[in-house]
Amino acid sequence: MDKQRKWFLEMAPTPAEDAVNTIETTTKDIQMTRDYEQFPDNDNGNVLWQMVEDGNDLSEPHEVEFSIVFEKQEQAEKCALHLLHQEQKISLYQEELHSDGSDLWVLNIHVNMMLEYEDIADLEEWMTRIAQEFDGEYDGWGCMSYIYDDEDE
């Protein structure tokens, strides 16, 4: 997908104008400077900064999936029950069989949140402790990114 995004601003016509004026701005024209306190130079900070550069509005809530993987179904189910008792929204599935015959159980914890670096870091610490408690491994986070391209195709 083309990273160049376009926004259009429609200006209301004055009585002397017959048409709406359209001003086109591209992200290439907007100089953004990274705030390293808000977006530190690490994996999470880099992902968040890339989302901002791609046009995501981080002030809007996003559904973030934090993943924990398990070697055994029993471990995954115990952790899932623990999280359900804490009123967390979860999904659990078994990955497809790998070439070495192994498979993993993946537990996703779905959190509706504003994407702020400190909040993500705090949740990662919590997920890591939960994973260790149930003999799993914290595997990271992700979320859907919605970017609208107003170009006519």
Side-chain angles (χ1 to χ4, degrees):
M1 178 182 284
D2 182 13
K3 287 193 176 193
Q4 186 178 23
R5 307 287 177 237
K6 296 185 178 191
W7 291 272
F8 296 92
L9 171 64
E10 291 186 357
M11 299 172 66
T14 61
E17 293 176 321
D18 294 328
V20 174
N21 295 320
T22 302
I23 299 173
E24 181 180 351
T25 305
T26 65
T27 54
K28 226 167 46 173
D29 298 332
I30 300 172
Q31 295 295 323
M32 293 190 290
T33 303
R34 182 172 176 169
D35 176 354
Y36 284 93
E37 286 187 30
Q38 185 177 5
F39 305 106
D41 190 14
N42 60 30
D43 289 342
N44 287 340
N46 293 339
V47 168
L48 292 171
W49 178 245
Q50 184 63 54
M51 290 177 74
V52 168
E53 284 186 317
D54 287 345
N56 277 271
D57 184 356
L58 300 189
S59 68
E60 292 292 323
H62 288 69
E63 185 172 284
V64 181
E65 290 183 4
F66 294 88
S67 298
I68 302 174
V69 295
F70 300 89
E71 291 181 9
K72 298 179 181 170
Q73 180 179 359
E74 182 182 355
Q75 298 164 312
E77 288 174 348
K78 285 181 180 178
C79 186
L81 285 173
H82 174 78
L83 290 165
L84 285 172
H85 285 292
Q86 294 190 17
E87 299 183 3
Q88 298 297 316
K89 178 181 173 185
I90 64 163
S91 59
L92 176 64
Y93 66 93
Q94 184 178 19
E95 280 190 340
E96 293 181 18
L97 199 60
H98 295 261
S99 58
D100 65 359
S102 67
D103 56 353
L104 293 175
W105 287 85
V106 179
L107 176 62
N108 288 325
I109 302 91
H110 306 267
V111 179
N112 197 24
M113 62 184 289
M114 307 293 246
L115 292 175
E116 293 183 10
Y117 178 83
E118 290 299 325
D119 293 339
I120 290 171
D122 290 344
L123 282 168
E124 282 193 310
E125 282 182 35
W126 184 69
M127 299 294 174
T128 299
R129 286 194 307 271
I130 296 290
Q132 291 170 347
E133 182 180 336
F134 291 94
D135 296 322
E137 183 178 332
Y138 174 67
D139 194 42
W141 65 275
C143 69
M144 292 298 292
S145 178
Y146 298 101
I147 300 174
Y148 301 98
D149 193 359
D150 291 335
E151 287 186 41
D152 290 334
E153 295 186 23

